[in-house]
Amino acid sequence: MESGLNKKVLLAIAIASLSGCGGGGSGSGGTDSGGNEPTPDPLPTPVEREEQSEQAPTFSGKAADGYLASALVCLDLNANLKCDSDEPNAITDDQGNFTLEATEEQKAAHSVVVKAIAGQTIVLDNPDETIDKPFTLTAPPGQEFISPLSTLVAKALKDNPELTPEQIGRAHV
């Protein structure tokens, strides 16, 4: 029991310390949670869909570590934290906004993944340069604002499946 409490206290400290971060720049997120340099995944081409007689359902969101322009975004249908070619995907606009084709059920059941791409993605805190190192952000299913904080919450939920996002959010107060 004490070990679980210690994990929650450490998580609360980590979330509280990151909640004041104002975003990144080219140095943000260069390593994964294990301290290893991430290996870039092959990037899928945004899915081009034939025009349909009915408008496909969509939802919009925002990618931020400082707002991220030209980052790849996908709905991670198979929970592998990668943007696979068969998953709904898009590239963020010049303000970090994205729109994905997905049903409300898909949105509620699957996480959004943001892949910041070295040499392509721009952190709008430093709009004249692309990032040097790739990084990945995610959020719990149903979330539309993807950031380092939402990534920590998603990891905490994975590590503590008995908790809800609301419980994790209250833990840092």
Side-chain angles (χ1 to χ4, degrees), residues 94-108:
D94 62 355
Q95 296 297 309
N97 300 305
F98 63 86
T99 300
L100 295 174
E101 289 185 8
T103 65
E104 283 298 318
E105 294 79 18
Q106 288 174 316
K107 176 185 168 190

Side-chain angles (χ1 to χ4, degrees), residues 4-28:
L5 181 59
N6 288 339
K7 284 182 183 178
K8 290 178 185 176
V9 169
L10 289 174
L11 174 64
I13 291 168
I15 291 173
S17 67
L18 288 173
S19 65
C21 292
S26 62
S28 61

Side-chain angles (χ1 to χ4, degrees), residues 24-170:
S26 62
S28 61
T31 58
D32 66 15
S33 61
N36 302 313
E37 288 293 323
T39 304
D41 298 317
L43 299 174
T45 304
V47 177
E48 295 184 24
R49 304 195 193 310
E50 293 181 24
E51 227 175 282
Q52 300 173 357
S53 58
E54 284 188 38
Q55 183 72 16
T58 63
F59 73 93
S60 297
K62 195 155 195 108
D65 183 11
Y67 295 127
L68 300 173
S70 299
L72 178 64
V73 180
C74 68
L75 190 61
D76 191 14
L77 300 177
N78 61 2
N80 66 354
L81 291 177
K82 296 180 180 180
C83 292
D84 299 312
S85 61
D86 61 339
E87 294 173 325
N89 61 75
I91 299 292
T92 57
D93 68 12
D94 62 355
Q95 296 297 309
N97 300 305
F98 63 86
T99 300
L100 295 174
E101 289 185 8
T103 65
E104 283 298 318
E105 294 79 18
Q106 288 174 316
K107 176 185 168 190
H110 303 285
S111 295
V112 172
V113 170
V114 175
K115 293 282 192 178
I117 305 161
Q120 174 179 317
T121 300
I122 298 168
V123 177
L124 294 177
D125 292 346
N126 191 6
D128 296 328
E129 296 181 24
T130 60
I131 62 167
D132 296 333
K133 296 180 180 179
F135 60 92
T136 301
L137 300 173
T138 191
Q143 300 299 309
E144 298 169 349
F145 189 82
I146 317 308
S147 69
L149 184 56
S150 69
T151 302
L152 285 174
V153 172
K155 182 175 180 350
L157 287 171
K158 182 178 178 187
D159 294 345
N160 301 285
E162 73 281 2
L163 298 178
T164 66
E166 293 78 22
Q167 290 170 318
I168 289 173
R170 285 192 303 261

